[in-house]
Amino acid sequence: YVKESKAELSALAHSASGVDKFRPEVCCIIGNYYSLKGAHGKAVQYFQRALKLNRKFLSAWTLMGHEYVEMKNTGAAIEAYRRAVDINARDYRAWYGLGQVYEILNMHLYSLWYYRRAAALRPYDSRMWSALGAVYSSLDRRQEAIKCFERAVNNVDREGTATRKLAKLYRDEGNAEKAARCYQKLVSAGGGGGGGDLDSAEAEALLFLANYHKGEGNYDQAAMYCSRLLEFPGQEEAKALLRDIRSRIS
């Protein structure tokens, strides 16, 4: 499911059904298959079937909450997640899910409380700290947001989301050196090239680094970042910056 391998998940569902289709585990496998196909209503039916077989089957409540979030049924999602934590208060996925729902509802203080519970259970999971950082940012509590994003980055920020947000916070706080280090991480990790947000993230990083190194008098390095930036469409600011840097070098 996590690898989004529909064919393999379908084969697993058929195989498990052949063993015993009246098991809550099997219903959850089939529910996950429908979820992966985007048939969220059908997925909910199978998670409900799992709960008819075992009312305390934790995974079914949590997974059903995820589906209700996708269906924008926040009330049902909250109920499902709360049932999950009633069964097992250490189910970080349900606490995280509650945080997400209240964030969608713009109830940030509630969201903050639930994300804290999730982070306490998963202190080495960058997603928990990134979520906390985003809520603190929404509440304009920048120093706390910075600390959370720093924790996220230190716990392997694979997608680079926390690194980018931390860079922006450093930049807004006037800490150009730390912002440059974060943007350098994004560029070194190859943050762009995939289109859309990925390209936007890398272009933002390259432009900042070009301006930063120009300000530091590192014109060759600034020119290099500008040249890379010109690979992206519509970079008029980069062209003007590169002309300025070249005039300074000459």
Side-chain angles (χ1 to χ4, degrees), residues 203 206-208 210-211 222-223 225-246:
L206 289 168
L207 184 59
F208 181 90
N211 278 302
Y225 286 121
C226 275
S227 297
R228 287 183 62 179
L229 190 55
L230 292 176
E231 296 172 11
F232 297 88
Q235 293 295 332
E236 297 304 320
E237 188 176 351
K239 291 176 185 176
L241 182 59
L242 185 58
R243 284 195 297 270
D244 181 38
I245 290 166
R246 284 173 175 167

Side-chain angles (χ1 to χ4, degrees), residues 51 55 57-65 80-81 83-84 87:
L51 291 166
R55 200 67 184 162
F57 195 68
L58 178 64
S59 295
W61 284 115
T62 306
L63 292 168
M64 190 161 66
Y81 289 136
R83 292 292 190 98
I87 295 166

Side-chain angles (χ1 to χ4, degrees), residues 27 40 149 162 186:
C27 293
H40 301 296
F149 285 129
L186 286 174

Side-chain angles (χ1 to χ4, degrees), residues 72-105:
K72 295 181 172 54
N73 187 341
T74 53
I78 289 169
E79 175 65 19
Y81 289 136
R82 284 190 171 159
R83 292 292 190 98
V85 295
D86 284 344
I87 295 166
N88 183 0
R90 297 190 62 79
D91 181 19
Y92 77 92
R93 294 178 183 86
W95 290 117
Y96 184 81
L98 282 165
Q100 283 186 309
V101 174
Y102 282 106
E103 190 175 6
I104 290 167
L105 294 171

